[in-house]
Amino acid sequence: MDRTKAKAGNLLATKPLDFLDIRPEESVGEKLLDAVFQTLECLPHDGVLKLLAGSRPDVLIAQLTEHGYQIKSRQEQENIWDIEILGTAAPDIVDLRGYEAPEPMHQILLAASRLDGDKTYFARLPHVPHPLFPLLRERNLRWWVHEEVDRSALLAVRAAP
Amino acid sequence: MNGGMPNAGLSLEQAPHLLVPASFFLMVPLSLLLAGAILMHAGVASLSHPWNPQVIALTHVGTIGVLLMGMVGALYQMTPVVAGTPVAAIRVAHGVHVLLLTGLVCFVWRLLGGPAFAMTLAGYSLAMALLGFLLPVGWSLASSVTRDETTLGMRLAVASLAVLAAMGLLVARGYAESGFPDNRFLLTQVHLTVALLGWVGGLIVSISWQVVPMFYLAPSPAKRSRQAMLGALVAGLILPFAAFAMQPNNDVALSPTRLAAVAALPAALAVWFFHPLLTLHSIHQRKRRRTDASLLYWRAGLSVALLLVPLAAMASLADDYRWQILFGWLAIWGWAGMILHGMLTRIMPFLVWFHRLTPLIGKMRVPSIRGLLSQGRIKTGFAIHLASLVLGAATIVTQSDILARLTGLAITATGFSLGSSLVHVLHLGQRHLLQHPIK
Ligand code: HEM
């Protein structure tokens, strides 16, 4: 299982966005379920877990739905499925992919300026917004970004603890 | 997954101050005024025979004063964003700016009849300016872990700049009365190939993969197309060097200079055929069809690019020297100049918005970048640029002196239009900052 995550010790518990490439483990049912549930336990209730799968993991999706998670699955390429697991209290993900630069940046900074203490703001963007990061840091915000297969991005922003 | 670690990535302090790119961008309209003055003063001599000193002077006001200044400013701004590593010793950029300007002025002065030492001074100034630019920017690009095609294309462009400058400086010694090298014509041919295709083409192509999707929501070309274009570009830049191994001969058809020109064909096709076709197609397919006047420049520049391969063929096959001048005019002012002009009308408002207005977001209503530069101003700039392009082409065909001077007038007007737009945007940003100081 390929797992790329920001290792940040005690910060791990507040990390609202994580990613697992489950393609190597897909055939080993239980191991896969364990790994996914373990990762979800580390996420806050408003977190999002992204999975990269080789086929649609129907059993996993059924189990997750039973536990109250919302699942979005989409086939990206022939052997690539994008699975998005939304935590039980995950907010709406704002879709900014249809806006030209720098409108998405404008909207994110505006939303981030209204963020309550432990809330997370999620947005989909047309690409990884590199110029935004120094502006977020300047405002003492923390962010996580996941680059999708189609090179668009999912961004999570939180106030720094 | 990238996390927002407190110390990871680039910080605002590492990104160049607005003054760095802006000071280079402001040199573009200033150089246009110089180009206009040369055309109005020298008349058709500056658009006549390729070896006329006035033609070489006008060419370099275009290539160094307009294109290089604009592209260097853009690279200072984009390198940290694209490569993820800051440009070291960014303050050196101010020295680069002064040296480039000094180099350009001395270069032109010599070619318009100034003393030989002006070219010596130009050589030293340009060499130092380019070292001051290439070392930190090249280092930042080379040490970047990013391996995408945009970064590769930017590296190729920067490497091309080093090569073309070395060749240009070698030939320029001739104008400083230190003697032209034996293979002057071959050196000049490869110099202009590496300059137009490697430096200008490499940067336009690779930056377009980043900015066209970002600013216009047009789909980016498939990875395979991007890789194929880069491959062809590299091949077409390396092959012409084989001509240096050839013995000079008197056979015009198979001279090393002509073979060097033909060997650049893969790069020419990538930059002036496939890239414009694919980009025009992707602009046509964009998701949100909001009218944006800066797209006029992209469309015009890319359409002109499609004329350049046939024109280059005519320039190297036909005896009539006007083909060469027409090719150079359309490549510099119709393709690269047009795209650069359009990008400046987009990038300058973006930079002012980014540096001056983003700190105010959430505290007050902040104008969008469209509010910083009106579509009307952008369209006017385009109309004047297009008029000057057509007038210049007509001058080359007819060799009319009056048309040449009118072209100079139109280029001067383009310079005033662009300059006033850039200053207007900077002024708006500054006014906002003064009215709402950031505590
Ligand atoms: C360090 C900077 C540069 C120097 C010192 C330089 C020098 C020269 C010289 C001396 C010539 C005349 C060759 C001769 O008389 O045999 C020349 C021609 C030429 N250069 Fe440059 N150059 C520089 C930068 C550039 C750049 C950046 C470009 C394009 C982007 C460029 C494009 C051309 C073209 C197209 C010609 C042919 C002009 C004609 O046919 O009239 N040069 N260069």
Side-chain angles (χ1 to χ4, degrees):
Chain A
M1 174 123 13
D2 180 9
R3 182 164 176 189
T4 323
K5 59 178 181 179
K7 291 191 178 68
N10 61 338
L11 294 176
L12 199 65
T14 58
K15 183 179 182 181
L17 178 60
D18 210 344
F19 166 73
L20 283 179
D21 181 355
I22 59 168
R23 285 171 302 177
E25 309 286 333
E26 261 169 325
S27 52
V28 198
E30 252 170 51
K31 214 168 148 193
L32 171 66
L33 287 179
D34 278 354
V36 172
F37 276 101
Q38 255 175 33
T39 312
L40 283 170
E41 270 163 30
C42 295
L43 287 180
H45 293 304
D46 63 353
V48 173
L49 175 61
K50 299 285 303 187
L51 301 182
L52 192 66
S55 58
R56 193 169 187 274
D58 292 321
V59 179
L60 176 69
I61 290 177
Q63 293 248 3
L64 288 166
T65 318
E66 237 171 65
H67 281 78
Y69 291 102
Q70 268 187 64
I71 317 292
K72 289 182 184 159
S73 65
R74 198 178 55 202
Q75 183 163 20
E76 291 286 352
Q77 287 164 24
E78 205 184 16
N79 289 323
I80 297 188
W81 278 78
D82 173 70
I83 315 292
E84 198 164 273
I85 308 169
L86 301 157
T88 44
D92 284 342
I93 300 180
V94 183
D95 193 347
L96 300 173
R97 285 173 297 182
Y99 294 92
E100 293 155 7
E103 193 54 34
M105 220 196 268
H106 197 156
Q107 304 249 356
I108 292 165
L109 290 173
L110 205 57
S113 69
R114 298 175 186 147
L115 256 184
D116 282 343
D118 60 345
K119 292 268 187 305
T120 311
Y121 169 80
F122 283 98
R124 289 187 210 285
L125 296 147
H127 52 84
V128 175
H130 293 288
L132 174 71
F133 301 148
L135 298 175
L136 293 178
R137 165 156 336 121
E138 204 67 353
R139 292 170 174 233
N140 203 22
L141 294 160
R142 304 190 67 231
W143 71 93
W144 293 261
V145 62
H146 170 72
E147 189 165 19
E148 308 277 8
V149 179
D150 64 0
R151 299 182 74 198
S152 67
L154 177 61
L155 174 83
V157 182
R158 270 177 101 102
Chain B
M1 166 99 46
N2 296 315
M5 294 300 102
N7 294 308
L10 200 69
S11 73
L12 260 191
E13 303 81 65
Q14 289 171 315
H17 188 274
L18 172 64
L19 197 62
V20 173
S23 63
F24 286 95
F25 293 160
L26 286 170
M27 289 301 104
V28 175
L30 212 64
S31 301
L32 289 177
L33 300 187
L34 180 58
I38 294 177
L39 273 158
M40 285 191 281
H41 179 256
V44 75
S46 47
L47 283 176
S48 55
H49 198 279
W51 302 112
N52 252 7
Q54 291 98 324
V55 173
I56 298 173
L58 184 65
T59 303
H60 288 81
V61 174
T63 57
I64 298 178
V66 176
L67 300 182
L68 189 110
M69 288 284 193
M71 289 158 67
V72 162
L75 273 167
Y76 274 126
Q77 180 61 37
M78 289 205 67
T79 300
V81 176
V82 172
T85 41
V87 175
I90 190 70
R91 277 160 195 266
V92 175
H94 299 302
V96 170
H97 178 225
V98 173
L99 285 167
L100 268 183
L101 191 61
T102 312
L104 173 66
V105 169
C106 291
F107 189 95
V108 171
W109 182 25
R110 168 61 179 150
L111 288 166
L112 297 183
F117 81 83
M119 189 55 90
T120 311
L121 199 60
Y124 283 116
S125 305
L126 290 172
M128 283 196 300
L130 291 173
L131 275 180
F133 167 71
L134 287 165
L135 290 177
V137 170
W139 174 255
S140 170
L141 285 170
S143 56
S144 158
V145 287
T146 317
R147 289 277 177 277
D148 66 1
E149 293 79 28
T150 296
T151 319
L152 291 177
M154 283 165 75
R155 282 184 195 158
L156 182 66
V158 165
S160 299
L161 177 59
V163 174
L164 83 89
M167 292 178 148
L169 290 171
L170 212 62
V171 183
R173 282 166 51 90
Y175 294 98
E177 286 174 359
S178 303
F180 283 103
D182 291 342
N183 49 3
R184 168 183 174 185
F185 298 113
L186 176 57
L187 265 173
T188 305
Q189 174 60 44
V190 181
H191 163 76
L192 71 90
T193 299
V194 178
L196 293 177
L197 292 167
W199 161 237
V200 182
L203 204 65
I204 287 185
V205 167
S206 56
I207 296 241
S208 76
W209 294 331
Q210 191 87 13
V211 300
V212 173
M214 186 170 118
F215 282 141
Y216 308 111
L217 291 182
S220 48
K223 193 172 178 68
R224 234 183 282 159
S225 314
R226 295 198 299 262
Q227 287 170 336
M229 274 189 262
L230 274 184
L233 190 49
V234 172
L237 290 175
I238 292 176
L239 284 173
F241 284 87
F244 285 104
M246 281 177 66
Q247 289 300 321
N249 57 46
N250 293 326
D251 183 351
V252 178
L254 283 176
S255 68
T257 307
R258 178 162 292 171
L259 283 180
V262 174
L265 191 64
L269 286 174
V271 173
W272 293 328
F273 184 70
F274 290 108
H275 176 258
L277 267 192
L278 287 177
T279 312
L280 283 170
H281 178 67
S282 94
I283 287 175
H284 183 70
Q285 283 190 310
R286 78 208 149 97
K287 292 178 204 149
R288 199 173 171 212
R289 286 168 184 268
R290 183 150 83 152
T291 45
D292 187 320
S294 67
L295 266 177
L296 290 170
Y297 295 82
W298 274 101
R299 286 208 171 99
L302 293 167
S303 306
V304 169
L306 291 170
L307 303 173
L308 294 177
V309 174
L311 272 175
M314 289 309 289
S316 77
L317 295 175
D319 288 335
D320 192 337
Y321 58 81
R322 284 178 302 178
W323 287 109
Q324 293 178 43
I325 301 289
L326 189 62
F327 163 77
W329 176 254
L330 291 181
I332 294 165
W333 191 229
W335 164 62
M338 190 62 101
I339 291 175
L340 179 85
H341 187 170
M343 282 320 293
L344 286 180
T345 64
R346 233 353 184 127
I347 290 177
M348 195 65 160
F350 175 75
L351 289 179
V352 167
W353 180 88
F354 182 83
H355 286 276
R356 297 276 189 257
L357 303 184
T358 50
L360 303 173
I361 294 176
K363 300 185 182 118
M364 59 173 300
R365 245 191 112 242
V366 163
S368 69
I369 62 168
R370 278 180 170 243
L372 292 177
L373 186 60
S374 74
Q375 296 291 299
R377 261 184 193 263
I378 304 176
K379 279 184 194 157
T380 307
F382 174 74
I384 309 174
H385 189 140
L386 192 64
S388 68
L389 182 70
V390 174
L391 276 171
T395 306
I396 294 163
V397 174
T398 60
Q399 290 293 300
S400 145
D401 199 57
I402 184 84
L403 275 182
R405 289 173 209 272
L406 281 176
T407 307
L409 205 62
I411 297 242
T412 306
T414 314
F416 275 120
S417 155
L418 176 61
S420 72
S421 291
L422 298 183
V423 170
H424 170 76
V425 173
L426 279 169
H427 176 71
L428 273 186
Q430 193 61 26
R431 209 176 62 188
H432 234 86
L433 205 64
L434 289 177
Q435 282 171 357
H436 313 281
I438 297 152
K439 306 206 170 71

